Amino acid sequence: MATFSSNSRVTDDYLPIADHGVIGDLRTCALVGTDGTIDWYCCPRFDAPSVFAAILDARRGGRFALRPEEPITSKQLYFPDTNILITRFFTAGGVAEIQDFMPIMGDVREVERHRLVRRVVCTRGSVPFAIEVAPRFDYGREQHKLRFEGGHAIFEGASLALALSATVQLDQSDQDVTGRFVLGEGETAAFVLDRLTSSIVPRVCPTREAETLFRQTVQFWRSWLAQSRYTGRWREVVHRSALVLKLLTYAPSGAIVAAATTSLPERLGGERNWDYRHTWLRDAAFSVYALLRLGFTQEAQAFMGWLGDRLRDQRGPGAEPLQIMYGIDGRADLPESELTHLEGYRGSAPVRIGNGAAAQRQLDIYGELIDSVYLYNKYGEPIGIDLWDDLTRTVDWLCEHWDQADEGIWETRGGPKHFTYTRVLSWVAIERAIRIARQRGLPANEVKWARQRDAIYRQVLSNGWSTRRRAFVQHYEDDVLDASLLIMPLVKFVAPTDSRWLATLDAISSDLVSDSLVYRYDPGASPDGLRGCEGTMSLCSFWYVEALARAGRVEDARLAFDKMLTYANHLGLYSEQIGATGEQLGNFPQAFTHLALISAAYNLDRALR
């Protein structure tokens, strides 16, 4: 999928968030702009300090710029069925392209190299290029030194060292690398950035080796995607979303990050800027569900192993079995701090790293997790004894604590409340656990579980329903609507054609939907402890599509889905939110949005059949 895009940056020197593609190696990733600049790259992992972060500060963040010197227009596309990004440039003198990718290394000795390959090819005429490699280690806080040795430019900081090899002449400009070169038709150049350690030494990457790495990377992604069983109407966009979810997987642990970036704003100039490079149990569980739907079981298996490790972590007497998010390596401590020296995307400070919401109580996570275990047990493979024992202890704990207030799915910072969504997902947790036990004949305290399941159900019908609004509402203390409740028929809490649910769907359509785009809630009516407003939530927009389809409003669902597809960027990628003029806002690309797209496409396709 490709579209026209100018390479010129907006007047404040920031490309729109949507004017980027993403590449990665299942350990970290990089964002590449339509002008050929790498604006974001962390090494050696998703949550490591940045090397290039111009997307958060155009002057201090650092970048890897590679572009024609002549006035150009550009287009981007992915090499078919892969995560190899191609940026094509059209100049007065010719046509050229950059092939950006990170090889998935099979050799364990080479995995930690984290090779970032930029292969430049001139396909017509002659094109002059300029290159600037300006790393800024540790979010721009750490100084580095540059030296040339053995055909490499080596950038050394206190915490990281990188080696740049190239097939053209490079020059030194202070502690950065620059260069100019011209490619004629059929000529190529290669640039490879490697991480160095005590056991990983600089290695030249000639043109032929770059071509070999390209072919191997193509083979990896195509072999993976070939496992998909999806044959519906929206095969291209569904497969692109699946490739995004795979790209956001941290292979060493099986964890899945919520998004590739930190602090891209939900509103320009606002304070709703968060670090999403961690594993939210909710997001990861939904990702497992989406991938299982398409036939990918390996990722679900890896995540089940990661989940089992978290359940067995000792958190102290009386503590909750799980917290809402973890580091990709399973660490529980994610202290939140602000990088005051960075101005933020287009001046949207603060820039945050870490996430203070990790300490919140969000009881809905148990519903999403146990639902994913139920689906894995059904469509993947039977779960083992140890995981079941861990889950039974978790369900026993939930039976004692489900009636407590929490901060809810949206991580509001306005204090705990009795959120209806939380209660619904607590019901899901217990109901799915009972299903697993009965299907497998596994030991469980079913009488106690069933009693608590039914108590939650009756409470939601009594306290979560507003007779004044004729709808299920956000929390028990008020009559505010919340788009998270679109999940009620998706998890089978209510029938999709139940009169109460249809009334709720109508109320959400009237109050929270704007031309198929769905707001999470009204922060004016339900203060969330943060200043300012935000865009529509793309996750909720796809949930809305699925709710319409399940309610039998198939034509409305299809129109809403097709409209949502127009808000994707030129590569089929989505950030978290959509702004008032259709711009993408928030961290990018976001797993939550892409997994919801997969689920909506799957169920809408089934309804249309």
Side-chain angles (χ1 to χ4, degrees):
M1 183 183 297
T3 188
F4 172 83
S5 175
S6 170
N7 85 311
S8 59
R9 295 190 168 232
V10 292
T11 55
D12 56 7
D13 205 30
Y14 290 90
L15 278 178
I17 293 171
D19 280 13
H20 292 85
V22 62
I23 60 173
D25 64 356
L26 307 183
R27 285 164 173 79
T28 187
C29 64
L31 296 189
V32 185
T34 52
D35 63 353
T37 298
I38 295 178
D39 280 336
W40 178 254
Y41 175 55
C42 297
C43 186
R45 343 189 300 181
F46 292 107
D47 57 356
S50 64
V51 174
F52 306 123
I55 199 167
L56 294 178
D57 193 307
R59 292 174 298 141
R60 302 182 186 91
R63 58 166 50 89
F64 188 156
L66 179 58
R67 63 172 72 99
E69 291 192 283
E70 300 176 345
I72 60 169
T73 57
S74 66
K75 295 182 180 181
Q76 276 187 331
L77 71 156
Y78 278 108
F79 197 80
D81 296 335
T82 77
N83 278 316
I84 295 175
L85 183 66
I86 299 176
T87 307
R88 308 200 76 211
F89 301 105
F90 303 84
T91 75
V95 178
E97 64 185 40
I98 302 174
Q99 301 165 354
D100 282 307
F101 60 98
M102 297 182 69
I104 314 298
M105 297 303 221
D107 186 341
V108 294
R109 296 169 299 180
E110 289 292 300
V111 165
E112 293 305 314
R113 190 177 290 273
H114 300 290
R115 310 205 90 180
L116 198 163
V117 181
R118 314 202 72 185
R119 188 166 174 249
V120 189
V121 181
C122 181
T123 57
R124 300 180 65 184
S126 176
V127 180
F129 274 85
I131 180 173
E132 178 193 14
V133 185
R136 298 293 181 265
F137 296 136
D138 190 22
Y139 306 106
R141 296 180 296 190
E142 184 179 296
Q143 298 295 318
H144 70 272
K145 294 183 178 180
L146 171 65
R147 60 186 172 87
F148 284 82
E149 180 181 289
H152 307 277
I154 298 177
F155 304 93
E156 288 184 305
S159 60
L160 183 67
L162 300 173
L164 176 68
S165 62
T167 57
V168 301
Q169 177 67 39
L170 299 176
D171 301 311
Q172 182 168 353
S173 176
D174 195 12
Q175 299 303 308
D176 300 331
V177 164
T178 60
R180 286 180 168 79
F181 60 97
V182 178
L183 294 181
E185 187 168 326
E187 293 182 331
T188 65
F191 303 87
V192 179
L193 192 65
D194 287 345
R195 177 200 182 205
L196 303 181
T197 68
S198 58
S199 59
I200 300 175
V201 298
R203 201 175 82 197
V204 173
C205 184
T207 302
R208 182 173 296 178
E209 182 176 348
E211 184 176 351
T212 299
L213 290 172
F214 179 90
R215 290 198 303 268
Q216 292 173 347
T217 307
V218 168
Q219 179 62 31
F220 173 86
W221 288 114
R222 288 184 170 174
S223 295
W224 180 81
L225 194 60
Q227 301 171 65
S228 172
R229 295 197 299 260
Y230 181 78
T231 57
R233 291 167 174 80
W234 296 283
R235 187 172 181 270
E236 184 177 358
V237 294
V238 166
H239 280 176
R240 177 51 51 196
S241 290
L243 285 163
V244 170
L245 294 183
K246 179 65 173 175
L247 202 60
L248 295 177
T249 301
Y250 184 61
S253 69
I256 303 172
V257 296
T261 56
T262 180
S263 298
L264 293 184
E266 297 173 10
R267 182 177 70 88
L268 291 181
E271 66 171 340
R272 298 170 184 262
N273 317 321
W274 314 108
D275 190 346
Y276 276 13
R277 299 170 300 155
H278 310 300
T279 298
W280 271 253
L281 295 184
R282 178 189 305 112
D283 302 42
F286 279 133
S287 296
V288 166
Y289 167 77
L291 291 171
L292 279 172
R293 273 290 179 87
L294 302 180
F296 300 102
T297 58
Q298 183 179 356
E299 290 69 30
Q301 182 182 42
F303 179 72
M304 291 300 149
W306 184 89
L307 173 61
D309 290 341
R310 304 291 77 72
L311 286 167
R312 285 183 287 276
D313 287 343
Q314 297 298 316
R315 301 193 64 211
E320 278 193 45
L322 294 166
Q323 63 184 49
I324 70 167
M325 76 177 85
Y326 295 86
I328 54 178
D329 56 1
R331 72 188 188 282
D333 190 22
L334 301 173
E336 182 177 302
S337 60
E338 296 182 7
L339 302 178
T340 56
H341 66 289
L342 297 180
E343 70 173 11
Y345 174 78
R346 298 182 66 182
S348 299
V351 172
R352 294 184 173 97
I353 54 174
N355 200 305
Q360 289 189 356
R361 165 167 283 186
Q362 297 174 23
L363 296 174
D364 66 280
I365 63 172
Y366 299 103
E368 290 111 357
L369 277 177
I370 297 178
D371 196 23
S372 70
V373 175
Y374 164 74
L375 292 168
Y376 177 69
N377 184 72
K378 183 176 181 180
Y379 298 112
E381 63 182 24
I383 63 172
I385 295 171
D386 291 339
L387 180 56
W388 177 247
D389 285 344
D390 292 332
L391 288 176
T392 56
R393 286 192 291 271
T394 302
V395 175
D396 287 340
W397 180 91
L398 184 61
C399 285
E400 302 295 332
H401 295 85
W402 64 262
D403 201 22
Q404 298 179 4
D406 70 354
E407 277 82 5
I409 180 177
W410 304 131
E411 297 173 4
T412 59
R413 303 197 177 192
K417 295 182 176 65
H418 293 278
F419 287 98
T420 305
Y421 178 91
T422 296
R423 294 294 191 273
V424 169
L425 269 294
S426 295
W427 175 89
V428 169
I430 301 173
E431 196 275 339
R432 299 304 192 267
I434 292 173
R435 286 198 194 195
I436 297 171
R438 290 177 177 172
Q439 288 172 357
R440 297 273 308 281
L442 297 172
N445 193 346
E446 285 193 40
V447 174
K448 175 184 177 181
W449 291 2
R451 185 167 57 248
Q452 296 303 313
R453 176 199 62 188
D454 296 347
I456 298 171
Y457 189 86
R458 287 191 292 267
Q459 187 189 88
V460 170
L461 293 184
S462 174
N463 299 347
W465 172 262
S466 168
T467 54
R468 187 183 72 82
R469 293 302 307 267
R470 295 291 302 164
F472 290 104
V473 291
Q474 184 183 64
H475 54 81
Y476 293 174
E477 294 84 359
D478 211 329
D479 291 336
V480 178
L481 296 176
D482 193 308
S484 67
L485 298 181
L486 289 165
I487 205 171
M488 293 177 76
L490 279 58
V491 297
K492 306 185 188 308
F493 184 89
V494 297
T497 55
D498 182 275
S499 59
R500 288 201 194 189
W501 170 248
L502 292 178
T504 302
L505 184 57
D506 288 339
I508 290 174
S509 298
S510 174
D511 287 25
L512 297 180
V513 178
S514 174
D515 190 35
S516 82
L517 299 175
V518 182
Y519 291 95
R520 295 191 290 184
Y521 54 89
D522 180 358
S526 179
D528 56 13
L530 297 166
R531 295 188 301 272
C533 57
E534 61 180 12
T536 58
M537 189 77 170
S538 295
L539 160 73
C540 295
S541 299
F542 285 118
W543 277 356
Y544 181 60
V545 169
E546 192 167 346
L548 288 172
R550 289 175 182 260
R553 304 175 183 180
V554 180
E555 289 305 316
D556 291 341
R558 182 167 189 173
L559 179 60
F561 186 77
D562 286 341
K563 284 184 176 181
M564 269 302 298
L565 295 183
T566 68
Y567 289 102
N569 82 343
H570 54 289
L571 297 166
L573 307 182
Y574 289 88
S575 63
E576 182 180 22
Q577 299 187 6
I578 305 295
T581 58
E583 72 277 17
Q584 295 208 28
L585 296 171
N587 286 307
F588 174 90
Q590 196 211 31
F592 231 160
T593 303
H594 285 279
L595 65 88
L597 183 156
I598 290 171
S599 184
Y602 184 94
N603 286 286
L604 178 57
D605 193 69
R606 184 168 60 180
L608 288 168
R609 290 200 301 267

